[in-house]
Amino acid sequence: MDLEQLKRDKETFALSQSPPIAPCTNQRCMFRGCTCGEKCGCNIPPEEAEGKELQGCDPCAEFKAKKAAEKAQAEAGLA
């Protein structure tokens, strides 16, 4: 995955919102439609998140759940 393209996509998404929001700056968050901004905690291990004010958003949670279901289906199909 091209992280620079992901960063640009997140910035474009953030600016397209009404009103515009701060873009997600978390390189571990792979969701282009993230609404967490600078405090995105997606894919941050608890030991790294300790003491930081991180958050998650519903769109990120839905995206992760969808990807997990797709992975489970793919693995079930291989079994």
Side-chain angles (χ1 to χ4, degrees):
M1 172 171 289
D2 181 359
L3 292 179
E4 284 302 313
Q5 182 62 49
L6 178 63
K7 180 181 175 183
R8 287 190 298 272
D9 290 347
K10 287 180 182 183
E11 290 170 351
T12 299
F13 170 79
L15 293 174
S16 74
Q17 300 304 294
S18 181
I21 60 174
C24 171
T25 57
N26 178 356
Q27 291 185 353
R28 292 182 184 168
C29 177
M30 299 295 142
F31 183 48
R32 288 166 170 78
C34 178
T35 60
C36 299
E38 295 176 347
K39 294 186 177 189
C40 179
C42 295
N43 298 322
I44 303 292
E47 58 274 6
E48 286 184 38
E50 192 172 322
K52 298 177 183 174
E53 292 184 37
L54 301 177
Q55 64 185 30
C57 64
D58 290 339
C60 281
E62 293 163 4
F63 174 75
K64 287 191 289 187
K66 179 182 173 190
K67 289 296 180 184
E70 289 172 358
K71 182 179 178 182
Q73 276 186 321
E75 288 173 353
L78 296 175

